[in-house]
Amino acid sequence: MQTKVFKPDQLVAAAAELAAGELVAFPTETVYGLGADATNETAVKKVFQAKGRPSDNPLIVHVADVATVKKYVADFPTTAEKLTQAFWPGSLTIILPLQPNAFSKTVTGGLNTAAFRNPRNQVTLDLIKQLGRPIVGPSANTSGKPSPTLAEHVLHDLAGKIAGVVDDGPTGVGLESTVIDLSTATPTILRPGAVTKEDIEAVIGSIDADHHKVKADEVPKAPGMKYKHYAPNAQVYMTAATDFKAAAAWAREQGEPFGLLATDQVLAEFSALAPAYRFSLGDSIVTASQHLFDGLRHYDQLPEVKLILAEEFPAQGLGVAYMNRLAKSAGQQRFTKSEH
């Protein structure tokens, strides 16, 4: 299959592919998603095949408006009304109980709930409206690999496996959406993102946060809950900014090229290292979140790199989401002076 690259003014053609049961990747403000008509089970099954994704992993349903969600759910509580008013379109995914047979089990992972999102990207909102039906949209990458923040990332993983990708340039946030479960007694964040726990509590009051690691035999209620995820080929080590000199010395002792993924302030101390082995996360948690996945993918293009030292940030605000993704990409591995 030849994978077409659609420009934002070619949405009629992109929607036609979706209507025909094909897969088209689409841009959002977080990462690129892999789109299929959510009401076409045959098309949805192709998503799992293209990604190599476990079939028990539920898919997020992307909608153009709140009214579409209400067609499918058994209940749309006051908390959902408040959250959609505050954060949609935006980086918040909401899990709600479904009406019987609203979607196929392929979409829901066999659960009686579904996750809905209204993305903050006008091109994709127009694509969904053009199709006239909601679209599923897991990240448009090979399962377990870093999520795509550029159309080029999508093509690297999925060229020849999908009908097309709508190229709208780099994504803005760079980390997948926050997922909140409203089907439980207490609203619970299952995956942190740019919409923080504090943001949500300011709207609906106290909530829980459940970042537990899903066991091999457990069905995750939201994407990205598996133990190791977002992983490049090289082994990533979470590294404190103050430990980079010691970590680099240890990495050199391993005798193989290594890469740095850090802020400009940290990288300034390593000007002697080849530029290809120094990937900038910018100068803040905002830019670090935007560039984390891009940096991990950069080192996948350098097969000689076996170790990546990636900078940690405080787990507060957006840093909670950043550290959640970094820890999973590292398989929880951290450089510590005492152990290395």
Side-chain angles (χ1 to χ4, degrees), residues 241 243-249 252 258 260 262 265-275 277-278 309:
D243 286 346
F244 263 80
K245 282 189 176 180
R252 286 190 188 95
F258 63 93
L260 304 182
Q265 183 178 359
V266 169
L267 294 180
E269 301 180 30
F270 295 92
S271 57
L273 197 63
Y277 300 152
R278 291 180 278 130
L309 304 177

Side-chain angles (χ1 to χ4, degrees), residues 8 10 19 44 46 70 79 98 139 201 252 254 300 323:
Q10 297 176 304
V44 174
K46 292 180 182 179
K70 293 180 178 179
T79 49
L98 290 170
S139 54
E201 288 184 330
R252 286 190 188 95
Q254 309 312 303
D300 269 354
M323 289 305 300

Side-chain angles (χ1 to χ4, degrees), residues 230 232 234-244 247-248 250-251 258-263 266-267 270 277 279-281 288 291-293 295-296 299 305 307-314 322-323 325-331 333-336:
Y230 319 112
Q235 175 61 54
V236 176
Y237 286 86
M238 297 178 280
T239 307
T242 53
D243 286 346
F244 263 80
W250 167 76
F258 63 93
L260 304 182
L261 190 57
T263 54
V266 169
L267 294 180
F270 295 92
Y277 300 152
F279 192 95
S280 172
L281 291 176
H291 298 303
L292 174 62
F293 290 145
L296 294 174
Y299 286 116
V305 172
L307 295 175
I308 300 171
L309 304 177
E311 186 171 348
E312 295 182 338
F313 278 80
Y322 173 89
M323 289 305 300
R325 306 309 194 277
L326 180 57
K328 284 191 169 73
S329 73
Q333 295 295 306
R334 173 178 277 106
F335 174 83
T336 55

